[in-house]
Amino acid sequence: MLAIFTIVVVVLLVVLLALVFLNFTFLTVTFPELAVFLASMLIFFLLSRRLIFENAFIIGFLSKIANGEPIEAKQVIGKMRGHPDVFSGWTPLSILSYWKNTIDVYRYTFYSLFALLLLLALIARFTALQTPLIAVFLETAVMGALIPVYFVWAYDSLASYYLNNALEL
Amino acid sequence: MQRPVFILSMITVVGLLIGYITGSFITRTYTLKRIAEVPGSPIVISSIYDSAQHAILVGLHNPGFVPINFINYSIVFTPGEYTNEAGYFLAPVALNATLQPQETMILTLSLKEHTQALAMGDVVTGTIVYTYEGLPEIYQLIHTFEQTTLTGGETQASKRRQTTARSDTIQQTNN
């Protein structure tokens, strides 16, 4: 079921991308930076998909806990990928903090990729006397990637705040 | 539990900043690309008569963002009342000069050989023909130089009149 859903989502995204590029064909001929911007933004949104959605789930559960609403471990496990039988006897809060830790690796990878792109753009920008064409495109890619990076940062900092409050750290 | 007011306000401020940065970047890139396609007509910033070369030195500035190729120039000499020289027309002389964007250069418009130096009241009309890279049209710049001193050779700013006219055919410019 999940595999079918993922395939459908990927196909829809590809169709959306193709439609965007067909619609912007005329504009991208004279202004190809727009295509680079959109492509970079979409690629980084795809990379940040797990981070954004799972942090959103974590924020939702933790705000329920903070408001005093009862939640069950089964609800949390149902939203979570992985091995549900590992968590027998765990409290919802411990599952949530474990969940938050498992997606840390994606966060570091995501930020590292953005930092790499930023570094490449800065190198292209400042090593040559005359600004080469690729520097403009790399800069545009950085600008497009800034938007998913902002969302990831915002969701992650909110989730961290709620988790620290719930754990009374 | 208290609301995360500080984090939410920080997220809002950073979001506004990132929107400002990306939006202004797109606008700036797009505008710069559009501006870089704008051709500017050359402006005569100075013109003097040099008696040593027997020529008129015309200082030209390119205010646009496209290089200007100068093709040729022709000269019409109209005698004033203090000279014995007869009026003449110089057929177009080829020029191989390119004026880069936002730069200034001096063009030497040589007068007819074995003629007297310019006297007061003499009027020299120079027609400079130029094109832009990637544009099929041919343009011309007509500059009128009037000698305002009794004898030539002194560095004098002349009364300048400048008109640019657009010609559709080469024949029209060669007339």
Side-chain angles (χ1 to χ4, degrees):
Chain A
M1 191 67 196
L2 197 70
I4 293 165
F5 179 72
T6 314
I7 288 164
V8 166
V9 165
V10 167
V11 166
L12 278 174
L13 271 170
V14 168
V15 168
L16 185 77
L17 205 73
L19 274 176
V20 163
F21 276 85
L22 282 174
N23 278 330
F24 283 92
T25 302
F26 181 71
L27 197 54
T28 48
V29 165
T30 52
F31 191 49
E33 280 87 350
L34 186 71
V36 174
F37 185 89
L38 287 172
S40 162
M41 197 172 77
L42 281 169
I43 287 164
F44 271 81
F45 262 125
L46 283 173
L47 289 170
S48 69
R49 184 181 53 90
R50 276 197 75 163
L51 284 167
I52 289 174
F53 281 95
E54 299 194 4
N55 269 322
F57 281 130
I58 290 167
I59 290 166
F61 284 124
L62 286 170
S63 60
K64 271 183 186 172
I65 290 172
N67 290 332
E69 294 176 33
I71 57 163
E72 290 177 18
K74 206 188 279 180
Q75 281 176 282
V76 183
I77 293 163
K79 294 286 182 193
M80 196 178 170
R81 283 190 189 184
H83 312 283
D85 21 312
V86 174
F87 303 112
S88 58
W90 288 41
T91 60
L93 192 58
S94 55
I95 296 171
L96 284 170
S97 65
Y98 176 80
W99 191 3
K100 181 80 178 68
N101 279 337
T102 55
I103 57 173
D104 260 7
V105 62
Y106 298 105
R107 185 160 60 94
Y108 288 127
T109 314
F110 183 76
Y111 284 150
S112 306
L113 280 172
F114 178 71
L116 192 71
L117 186 63
L118 188 66
L119 196 70
L120 282 174
L122 288 174
I123 287 168
R125 187 75 173 165
F126 292 114
T127 46
L129 198 66
Q130 188 93 28
T131 307
L133 193 66
I134 191 151
V136 180
F137 286 107
L138 280 171
E139 223 173 303
T140 318
V142 168
M143 289 293 164
L146 256 179
I147 295 161
V149 165
Y150 161 70
F151 277 103
V152 166
W153 171 78
Y155 276 92
D156 183 71
S157 50
L158 262 183
S160 298
Y161 177 87
Y162 277 109
L163 194 66
N164 289 350
N165 251 321
L167 296 168
E168 290 172 3
L169 284 173
Chain B
M1 185 202 131
Q2 58 181 13
R3 297 275 101 192
V5 176
F6 176 71
I7 287 179
L8 282 175
S9 52
M10 202 163 71
I11 284 168
T12 311
V13 170
V14 171
L16 287 170
L17 264 175
I18 284 176
Y20 175 75
I21 289 166
T22 50
S24 60
F25 175 79
I26 290 173
T27 311
R28 184 165 58 88
T29 315
Y30 190 79
T31 313
L32 283 177
K33 282 194 86 150
R34 281 288 159 272
I35 283 175
E37 295 167 0
V38 173
S41 63
I43 290 170
V44 177
I45 51 173
S46 71
S47 69
I48 56 169
Y49 171 61
D50 185 9
S51 66
Q53 293 182 50
H54 193 46
I56 289 166
L57 309 181
V58 180
L60 289 163
H61 177 64
N62 182 3
F65 296 88
V66 176
I68 296 171
N69 294 327
F70 293 107
I71 297 174
N72 60 38
Y73 72 90
S74 52
I75 275 174
V76 176
F77 175 77
T78 312
E81 50 184 307
Y82 297 104
T83 184
N84 305 320
E85 203 68 53
Y88 60 83
F89 167 69
L90 263 188
V93 181
L95 276 172
N96 257 329
T98 304
L99 182 50
Q100 293 302 322
Q102 306 289 319
E103 282 185 11
T104 305
M105 72 183 300
I106 292 170
L107 275 185
T108 309
L109 309 185
S110 299
L111 298 174
K112 194 179 178 182
E113 286 177 15
H114 314 299
T115 50
Q116 288 178 9
L118 288 188
M120 188 171 161
D122 289 355
V123 174
V124 175
T125 306
T127 305
I128 301 163
V129 178
Y130 61 93
T131 57
Y132 298 104
E133 279 175 15
L135 286 178
E137 280 83 12
I138 293 163
Y139 303 85
Q140 61 181 1
L141 183 151
I142 300 163
H143 174 67
T144 306
F145 175 85
E146 188 178 357
Q147 183 71 5
T148 49
T149 51
L150 277 170
T151 52
E154 298 297 317
T155 303
Q156 281 283 338
S158 67
K159 287 179 183 173
R160 293 189 291 273
R161 273 184 291 144
Q162 178 204 352
T163 51
T164 52
R166 179 177 155 178
S167 62
D168 292 330
T169 54
I170 301 169
Q171 284 79 22
Q172 197 177 335
T173 59
N174 283 339
N175 282 337

